[in-house]
Amino acid sequence: MQKINRNVVLALLSLTSLVFLLFQLCYYKFYLSQKNGAAFSKVKGSQSGQDSTRWHVVRKFLGLISSHNIPVYLIDPLILGLVDKDIEQIRSSPDDPSPECKYFCAPRDFTTFALLDKAWKHEVGFFRTAEKMGFQWLKIINKDPRLDGMDDLSGVEIPLHYIFKLASHAIHLVVFYERSGNFLWHGPLRLKQRMDKKFVPFRKLHFGRYPGAYEKPELLLVSIDDLKVQIPKNPSSFLEEMSHSRFLECRYREARAFFQLYPDDASLDAVEFRKKAKSLLHLAALTLNNLGVKFWLSSGTCLGWYRQCNVIPHSKDVDLGIFIRDYKADIIPAFQKAGLPLKHKFGKVEDSLELSFQGEDDVKLDIFFFYEEDDHIWNGGTQAKSGKKFKYLFPKFTLCWTEFVELKVHVPCETLQYVEANYGPEWKVPVKTWDWKSSPFNVQDNGVWPIDEWDNVIQIY
């Protein structure tokens, strides 16, 4: 009997020691570890301690920025996607306590917030407070493209991204800047040579792979998982905008090299034309944006942006492209209402449609409609006196944002291929004599309009 009692006692002691050891390990991991920061208790309704960690890191970050009066708003696509499904309930019950941690406990490595640069001062005290709260942080800086121009390639660097890491979760803070086209821009995330590339899994970041352009969002203060946070008022619109936000900078360095070979035309006529072309482009953008019609810089206007960051003075018109799927019957009356009378209408919606509107003096706006095939995209042309049809072939392309003559506007992302298709490998050399029927490298005959259709497909005003 004595022997049995001794074994039982030894077993109990071993079990107690094991439990105590496990308790110490857990205590060290979640309470004392410098790497993991402060203790995190489990959130009501969460599924695991890891879920709880995410919520607590977000809560501590919101406390940090609140203590320094720094306004941020949530742009995390995963969380906004979840919020969007419940947006009506969230709006109608802004202060109701959450029965469970549904959004900020969702599995992810980062939570992403946005910060407007002009809304805060880069205070050293802010980062000291972050460190005292257990955060490790990383600042990513790069050149300010807003200061670039034909006369100066600025070397001034600005903060573009911040990463705050605590425990097993990180906060990605994306810094947005206002551009002269009245939109918001964020820069790319490029690590300098000596930066810790293992600080966080950078490849999983939703923002920073390339620069992005956004409209200024209207914000809404809501309570999510018992945390007060600002979000875009229409999350679905923001998420849609995010999927098409890629931004391309004008190539000022290449433009300067171009003007060294071919000095810019600074004559009074050239200055006046550029002024009128800029005004016409702004009016066209306003009209099409009000209709919800997506467009991009095409032909000579696109070449001017890509080659010399400006309107080509001898082009004498403004060229825009629109996918035929985005055509709306309201386009013509909308431009006429804006004071731009229709000059000609060639083709039809099903085939080779193009519109031309008369701007100020002899400056006109040409809109080409593009048709998508299996392996290429094309737009058409029509010779009024003969009824001949032409087709201009382009490799498939996607659309990116850029800033041109103080306007946020689309250009083909694959700009070089687009320009080369139209103007050939010698596109860098200015050509002042241009025949639209034979000069383009991508032009081909496309038959003749039947005479009985001429009244509909060849309309000149």
Side-chain angles (χ1 to χ4, degrees):
M1 188 71 180
Q2 248 181 345
K3 188 173 182 180
I4 294 173
N5 286 340
R6 189 180 300 116
N7 289 338
V8 171
V9 170
L10 288 172
L12 288 173
L13 287 173
S14 299
L15 181 60
T16 303
S17 298
L18 180 61
V19 171
F20 183 71
L21 179 62
L22 290 172
F23 173 79
Q24 285 183 310
L25 287 172
C26 291
Y27 183 85
Y28 174 82
K29 182 177 181 181
F30 293 106
Y31 286 79
L32 300 180
S33 171
Q34 290 296 316
K35 180 180 179 181
N36 287 339
F40 297 139
S41 60
K42 191 171 181 181
V43 181
K44 180 182 179 182
S46 67
Q47 300 301 313
S48 68
Q50 179 60 35
D51 296 344
S52 167
T53 299
R54 299 185 192 105
W55 183 89
H56 276 282
V57 172
V58 173
R59 181 179 65 83
K60 292 196 75 171
F61 175 75
L62 291 175
L64 168 67
I65 60 100
S66 177
S67 66
H68 287 263
N69 297 314
I70 301 173
V72 301
Y73 57 96
L74 184 72
I75 57 171
D76 192 285
L78 189 148
I79 299 176
L80 288 180
L82 296 173
V83 167
D84 187 54
K85 296 176 182 178
D86 305 327
I87 189 63
E88 293 305 323
Q89 179 183 349
I90 291 173
R91 284 174 178 168
S92 61
S93 307
D95 298 313
D96 287 357
S98 301
E100 60 177 337
C101 184
K102 183 177 180 181
Y103 308 102
F104 286 118
C105 290
R108 65 198 185 286
D109 295 292
F110 300 87
T111 302
T112 313
F113 289 88
L115 166 68
L116 295 182
D117 171 69
K118 68 176 185 178
W120 82 306
K121 297 179 181 179
H122 307 276
E123 301 173 0
V124 176
F126 171 74
F127 299 102
R128 288 176 179 166
T129 305
E131 290 171 356
K132 289 179 181 178
M133 295 176 70
F135 284 103
Q136 295 174 277
W137 58 275
L138 184 68
K139 178 170 71 172
I140 293 90
I141 62 175
N142 215 320
K143 193 174 71 169
D144 187 349
R146 299 171 303 169
L147 301 179
D148 279 355
M150 209 58 66
D151 301 322
D152 178 42
L153 296 175
S154 171
V156 176
E157 292 190 321
I158 53 175
L160 300 178
H161 299 263
Y162 292 97
I163 309 290
F164 296 86
K165 184 172 68 171
L166 180 64
S168 57
H169 197 64
I171 302 293
H172 180 195
L173 186 58
V174 185
V175 186
F176 281 80
Y177 292 84
E178 286 195 23
R179 300 281 293 240
S180 60
N182 196 33
F183 64 95
L184 299 181
W185 168 91
H186 73 75
L189 196 156
R190 302 287 182 266
L191 297 178
K192 304 283 185 178
Q193 278 189 343
R194 296 183 179 181
M195 285 186 172
D196 181 4
K197 294 178 173 57
K198 296 182 179 179
F199 186 72
V200 291
F202 289 100
R203 291 186 178 182
K204 294 184 179 181
L205 290 172
H206 296 289
F207 293 81
R209 193 168 301 159
Y210 43 74
Y214 292 80
E215 294 300 309
K216 297 176 182 177
E218 188 176 352
L219 300 178
L220 178 69
L221 181 63
V222 296
S223 178
I224 303 174
D225 295 333
D226 298 331
L227 297 177
K228 290 284 187 180
V229 62
Q230 290 199 102
I231 64 170
K233 190 173 183 179
N234 191 331
S236 60
S237 294
F238 178 84
L239 293 172
E240 173 64 21
E241 191 177 13
M242 178 185 170
S243 65
H244 304 288
S245 63
R246 186 176 178 183
F247 184 89
L248 299 179
E249 290 290 351
C250 173
R251 307 178 328 136
Y252 279 113
R253 192 176 301 277
E254 290 80 1
R256 291 178 72 178
F258 171 81
F259 284 123
Q260 287 177 353
L261 293 174
Y262 310 100
D264 194 15
D265 184 353
S267 66
L268 181 60
D269 287 344
V271 171
E272 278 298 306
F273 171 73
R274 281 177 167 156
K275 181 180 178 181
K276 293 172 185 176
K278 175 183 176 180
S279 177
L280 180 58
L281 182 56
H282 276 250
L283 180 58
L286 178 63
T287 304
L288 291 172
N289 287 337
N290 286 340
L291 291 174
V293 175
K294 186 182 294 185
F295 68 95
W296 65 90
L297 304 182
S298 188
S299 303
T301 306
C302 183
L303 175 64
W305 167 78
Y306 190 68
R307 186 176 68 188
Q308 54 212 73
C309 297
N310 210 334
V311 175
I312 299 174
H314 59 262
S315 61
K316 300 305 178 187
D317 57 17
V318 171
D319 302 310
L320 301 181
I322 296 175
F323 285 115
I324 195 63
R325 62 174 179 263
D326 295 324
Y327 171 79
K328 291 184 178 180
D330 295 339
I331 289 177
I332 293 176
F335 274 107
Q336 291 174 326
K337 186 178 180 180
L340 300 177
L342 184 64
K343 185 174 182 181
H344 72 240
K345 176 185 177 185
F346 293 154
K348 53 187 177 181
V349 174
E350 297 79 16
D351 182 11
S352 304
L353 181 65
E354 62 174 287
L355 303 174
S356 183
F357 298 91
Q358 186 62 58
E360 185 180 353
D361 296 333
D362 59 344
V363 184
K364 62 187 177 74
L365 170 70
D366 292 330
I367 300 181
F368 304 101
F369 290 86
F370 284 68
Y371 299 77
E372 192 167 359
E373 305 288 351
D374 291 338
D375 59 350
H376 67 278
I377 295 172
W378 63 276
N379 73 284
T382 296
Q383 186 179 33
K385 65 180 180 180
S386 68
K388 284 185 178 180
K389 298 170 61 182
F390 300 88
K391 180 182 284 190
Y392 305 86
L393 273 60
F394 295 84
K396 288 199 170 185
F397 57 87
T398 53
L399 295 178
C400 287
W401 291 110
T402 192
E403 184 178 13
F404 185 59
V405 293
E406 299 180 356
L407 184 70
K408 177 184 173 227
V409 65
H410 277 120
V411 291
C413 299
E414 300 78 13
T415 322
L416 177 59
Q417 295 90 323
Y418 188 86
V419 167
E420 282 187 334
N422 216 178
Y423 298 97
E426 299 299 317
W427 58 269
K428 291 183 181 180
V429 180
V431 177
K432 294 190 176 182
T433 303
W434 184 262
D435 186 337
W436 60 270
K437 301 182 296 299
S438 59
S439 297
F441 272 67
N442 58 344
V443 65
Q444 59 180 237
D445 290 339
N446 193 29
V448 181
W449 287 109
I451 293 179
D452 60 356
E453 290 191 43
W454 280 26
D455 287 345
N456 293 323
V457 298
I458 303 175
Q459 299 180 15
I460 301 176
Y461 300 90

